[in-house]
């Protein structure tokens, strides 16, 4: 089976892209939970910044992988 995805360990340089995916998934896929309420979203997203994600990635207790398209 051929895959056009490369899976690798995440690095801190991936933090902005990871952050974007996490935030977009909360905004778009968790609508039933936040109902588009800006205050609820602001609280939920407050600790989802590139700096926060960078700290998650630096935590030696975590295993962080990313899947990227080969192109």
């Amino acid at each position: 089976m051929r895959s056009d995805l490369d899976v690798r360990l995440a690095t801190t340089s991936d933090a902005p892209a990871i952050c974007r995916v996490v935030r977009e998934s909360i905004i778009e896929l968790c609508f039933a939970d936040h109902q588009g309420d800006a205050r609820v979203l602001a609280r939920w997203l407050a600790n989802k910044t590139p700096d926060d994600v960078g700290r998650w990635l630096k935590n030696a207790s975590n295993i962080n992988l990313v899947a990227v398209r080969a192109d």
Side-chain angles (χ1 to χ4, degrees):
M1 174 185 259
R2 186 173 170 261
S3 171
D4 13 339
L5 291 178
D6 290 325
V7 178
R8 61 172 173 74
L9 288 173
T11 68
T12 54
S13 66
D14 294 312
I18 293 169
C19 181
R20 191 170 44 255
V21 169
V22 169
R23 291 177 65 91
E24 288 175 7
S25 69
I26 291 169
I27 293 166
E28 296 175 21
L29 303 176
C30 299
F31 188 84
D33 298 309
H34 59 69
Q35 296 292 307
D37 184 312
R39 290 180 302 164
V40 172
L41 269 172
R43 286 192 310 269
W44 199 341
L45 298 174
N47 70 339
K48 283 34 170 224
T49 67
D51 287 339
D52 291 315
V53 173
R55 281 191 289 282
W56 302 344
L57 296 174
K58 289 177 186 174
N59 184 335
S61 297
N62 295 332
I63 298 172
N64 301 288
L65 303 172
V66 293
V68 294
R69 291 187 186 177
D71 61 349

